[in-house]
Amino acid sequence: MTHTDQRTLRRVLRREIAGTIGLLTDEHDFRTMRRYRSFTFDDHTTYLKHVEAILRTRALQGSHTTVALFDPEEYADYCAKTGLEPDSQASRTRFTAELATTGPTVPYEGQPLADLLPGLVEEAIRQATWEYATTILTRLGPCTSCGEDLGRAAFARAAHLLARILDTAPPGHRHLVCSVSGPPEALVAVLHADDIADRLELDETEALEFTTVLAAGLATDSPGGLVMRTTAPDTPDRIYGWRLRAYDLEPLTAGEVFDAYCTDAESGDLIAPESDVDYCTPPDLGDGPDTAHHH
């Protein structure tokens, strides 16, 4: 085989290799990394331009690249736990490889970096929210009266309620938001579901995260709510919701839904209602099997 043939085969093989780039998305994280002498960039804007150039080059070469959120604090913890020298390019590469399987990532598909960054940050927030809600459920432990795992009971109850909400919803696209208040900060989860050929389609990961956040709110009896907006052709959008209660949901009145959507959360000022939108009471979820934990 000639030397040229070998180089051609290596180029082809290089396209088969997927790569991950750890990205410092904001100025603060970038400044934190500058304490390492082996990190040679001194300007965040220039750094982002070089990252984008690398992404475009790899895409033109037919290579797939995943972009991961590089957190300097997590990196320092990783080096401390693994005994790696943090001021090292090799250590940063090892950490980035770890992020590819455990951290928030998004695929690069040729979009401008400015369009990719918000999606990456959103993915990081979503993953952190799910992990924190999971921690809440895990720490609940067993019921002191019957020994039932309270976290699992809450999750089962949340899954049942979510199934009933989707089953009783009018046809169309459903956009659900669940928010749970409480220290140290609010938890928010979003779920999208569509009716396609009379079959409900939703993202399983999104549904798992939504159910987990709902379960955390139900189990801790924290202030919170769940609202859904349905959209279908040739009909007004419908918006309705519930207030979270211990292991249950309390329907909001049409007036309460209207007030929630037509009041500025920060100033308290009234906001004009949207046109072609019905603010209404939710359908009866029915009794069904009692999946709530009672004590």
Side-chain angles (χ1 to χ4, degrees):
M1 183 179 293
T2 67
H3 183 62
T4 302
D5 289 339
Q6 290 180 351
R7 286 193 300 179
T8 300
L9 288 176
R10 287 173 184 169
R11 267 199 309 269
V12 172
L13 185 59
R14 196 175 295 122
R15 294 171 189 163
E16 302 285 335
I17 301 173
T20 303
I21 291 179
L23 182 64
L24 297 160
T25 59
D26 61 52
E27 187 74 39
H28 177 267
D29 287 348
F30 180 83
R31 287 199 302 269
T32 301
M33 290 302 295
R34 287 195 62 201
R35 66 189 177 192
Y36 300 122
R37 294 181 61 185
S38 59
F39 186 79
T40 55
F41 286 97
D42 56 13
D43 178 77
H44 189 230
T45 301
T46 301
Y47 161 80
L48 292 177
K49 287 180 179 178
H50 281 287
V51 170
E52 186 163 24
I54 290 173
L55 290 171
R56 286 177 176 171
T57 300
R58 285 180 55 83
L60 289 172
Q61 293 173 344
S63 299
H64 173 79
T65 309
T66 298
V67 182
L69 184 68
F70 195 105
D71 186 310
E73 291 184 7
E74 291 183 3
Y75 171 65
D77 290 343
Y78 173 80
C79 289
K81 291 176 182 177
T82 57
L84 293 174
E85 165 56 50
D87 195 358
S88 163
Q89 292 178 341
S91 297
R92 290 196 292 275
T93 301
R94 287 269 300 274
F95 178 65
T96 300
E98 186 83 8
L99 290 177
T101 57
T102 62
T105 62
V106 294
Y108 177 71
E109 298 173 333
Q111 69 271 48
L113 198 57
D115 294 340
L116 182 145
L117 288 177
L120 181 58
V121 173
E122 182 179 318
E123 176 67 15
I125 294 173
R126 182 199 59 72
Q127 181 168 319
T129 298
W130 175 68
E131 290 175 351
Y132 181 62
T134 301
T135 300
I136 290 175
L137 295 178
T138 302
R139 288 178 177 174
L140 291 174
C143 173
T144 55
S145 297
C146 68
E148 182 178 15
D149 187 299
L150 294 175
R152 290 183 181 178
F155 189 88
R157 180 62 175 167
H160 166 72
L161 291 171
L162 177 58
R164 293 300 302 144
I165 289 170
L166 295 174
D167 287 344
T168 58
H173 172 73
R174 297 92 181 265
H175 176 82
L176 297 87
V177 178
C178 179
S179 58
V180 179
S181 301
E185 57 188 28
L187 299 176
V188 179
V190 177
L191 176 64
H192 301 89
D194 288 292
D195 266 333
I196 299 178
D198 294 326
R199 186 166 60 92
L200 186 66
E201 292 198 0
L202 48 78
D203 183 273
E204 291 184 2
T205 300
E206 212 176 55
L208 172 63
E209 293 159 356
F210 189 93
T211 305
T212 305
V213 170
L214 175 57
L218 296 175
T220 57
D221 199 13
S222 300
L226 191 161
V227 294
M228 178 164 67
R229 181 174 189 143
T230 60
T231 305
D234 305 320
T235 60
D237 285 7
R238 292 170 57 88
I239 300 176
Y240 52 80
W242 297 263
R243 187 179 291 107
L244 269 60
R245 288 289 180 257
Y247 288 94
D248 212 349
L249 297 174
E250 178 183 294
L252 296 173
T253 66
E256 287 174 324
V257 176
F258 179 88
D259 289 344
Y261 271 82
C262 300
T263 304
D264 186 277
E266 295 184 359
S267 67
D269 296 335
L270 294 177
I271 303 172
E274 297 181 63
S275 60
D276 206 27
V277 171
D278 287 341
Y279 303 93
C280 45
T281 56
D284 184 5
L285 298 182
D287 294 329
D290 188 356
T291 56
H293 182 82
H294 300 285
H295 283 305

